Amino acid sequence: MPTPHIEAKEGDFAPVVLMPGDPKRAEWIAKTFLKNPKLVTSVRGILGFTGEAPDGSLVSVMASGMGMPSIGIYSHELYTSYGVEAILRIGTCGSYQKDIGLKDIIIGEGACTNSNWMGEHSLYGGTFSAIADYQLLEMAVDATREKKLPLHVGNILSSDTFYDYRPEAWKKWANLGVLGVEMEAYALYANAATLGKKALAICTVSDSFLFAKELSSQERQEGLTNMVSIAMDVAMKYNACRTK
Ligand code: HPA
């Protein structure tokens, strides 16, 4: 126990972890949504907390940093050294489709990538399709419907770049029905698959490739709150299933 990038002790993490990119957001989520949140790690400013969800069950929140290498490190160490069973990524994404508005929720049923994340996995030239855990996916769809929030479920792109210098590249993915772009889900899903664990990415749309409207800070906050409350519901549903 402590791992190269996490200083928590054995038993410090709950079996289910909510994972935003930004450490400040992890702190805000822990202090807003959990009772008695305890800081369990802060290596490199990547904050992790464990506390009680509204139903009393234990839930952790830890930041992933940005991009696949970063979430790859933290998810691997949580899954392999801290007994974590399920990671729920919560983050923003850009929308690729005209019927998807700002603040809508996108759940990544699958993730494509322009990275070489699984390229060295001796698949004899084949490609790996990264998919969400179906149990978590179903729970998240139910939770979003219960809250009557606008929901899109499908493929997302986990991109290595935020600034892509090929202005038309995104259209190739959009034409394949990909809903939007973020930078982490593929690596998280691939690590979960490799290690026999569970993962799901829940995103709120922060920008669109088709229209130029920007979110106000109040709308941004609402989008974030909606996404966290869905993820917290999934965490509680998951905890309830494991204790049955
Ligand atoms: N690209 C990649 N990641 C993102 C974006 C984007 O446009 N918006 C929010 N996360």
Side-chain angles (χ1 to χ4, degrees):
M1 211 64 39
T3 57
H5 307 94
I6 302 176
E7 66 197 347
K9 297 189 298 297
E10 192 173 357
D12 273 352
F13 279 97
V16 56
V17 178
L18 271 52
M19 188 163 260
D22 177 356
K24 285 253 164 58
R25 200 160 278 176
E27 183 173 32
W28 176 78
I29 293 166
K31 292 186 173 165
T32 309
F33 288 82
L34 298 178
K35 226 164 89 189
N36 304 320
K38 180 181 153 217
L39 180 70
V40 294
T41 184
S42 63
V43 178
R44 288 177 181 247
I46 293 288
L47 306 178
F49 299 83
T50 299
E52 288 160 43
D55 70 350
S57 67
L58 287 182
V59 172
S60 296
V61 185
M62 183 170 135
S64 68
M66 286 186 284
M68 287 178 269
S70 190
I71 200 165
I73 288 170
Y74 296 111
S75 60
H76 176 89
E77 293 180 9
L78 288 173
Y79 283 143
T80 58
S81 297
Y82 289 97
V84 169
E85 297 167 9
I87 297 179
L88 301 167
R89 160 165 158 70
I90 40 179
T92 57
C93 69
S95 159
Y96 278 172
Q97 304 292 341
K98 61 178 182 319
D99 61 332
I100 301 181
L102 301 186
K103 238 175 72 176
D104 285 8
I105 298 290
I106 295 181
I107 298 180
E109 183 181 8
C112 310
T113 192
N114 53 18
S115 88
N116 194 35
W117 189 267
M118 290 295 271
E120 303 302 326
H121 268 245
S122 302
L123 296 168
Y124 305 101
T127 53
F128 172 74
S129 293
I131 59 167
D133 176 79
Y134 186 73
Q135 182 193 22
L136 299 179
L137 176 69
E138 230 182 356
M139 289 172 172
V141 169
D142 288 348
T144 313
R145 289 209 175 120
E146 279 159 24
K147 294 175 199 300
K148 301 193 180 352
L149 294 167
L151 171 65
H152 311 269
V153 182
N155 235 339
I156 55 176
L157 172 67
S158 299
S159 177
D160 258 348
T161 52
F162 185 89
Y163 298 106
D164 194 321
Y165 297 122
R166 302 156 302 173
E168 303 294 297
W170 70 273
K171 290 187 183 160
K172 302 257 182 204
W173 298 104
N175 288 339
L176 290 166
V178 171
L179 305 179
V181 57
E182 49 83 83
M183 302 182 71
E184 290 84 13
Y186 188 96
L188 176 63
Y189 289 1
N191 274 4
T194 304
L195 299 168
K197 302 283 184 167
K198 292 169 175 286
L200 179 70
I202 304 167
C203 300
T204 178
V205 176
S206 60
D207 52 273
S208 170
F209 283 64
L210 290 133
F211 42 88
K213 189 176 174 288
E214 293 221 336
L215 281 179
S216 67
S217 58
Q218 191 194 338
E219 288 172 319
R220 193 173 285 273
Q221 189 59 41
E222 277 167 19
L224 174 65
T225 303
N226 289 341
M227 176 177 64
V228 177
S229 68
I230 294 164
M232 198 58 78
D233 281 6
V234 175
M236 291 189 287
K237 284 172 197 260
Y238 179 73
N239 280 338
C241 277
R242 6 181 358 263
T243 52
K244 258 186 207 154

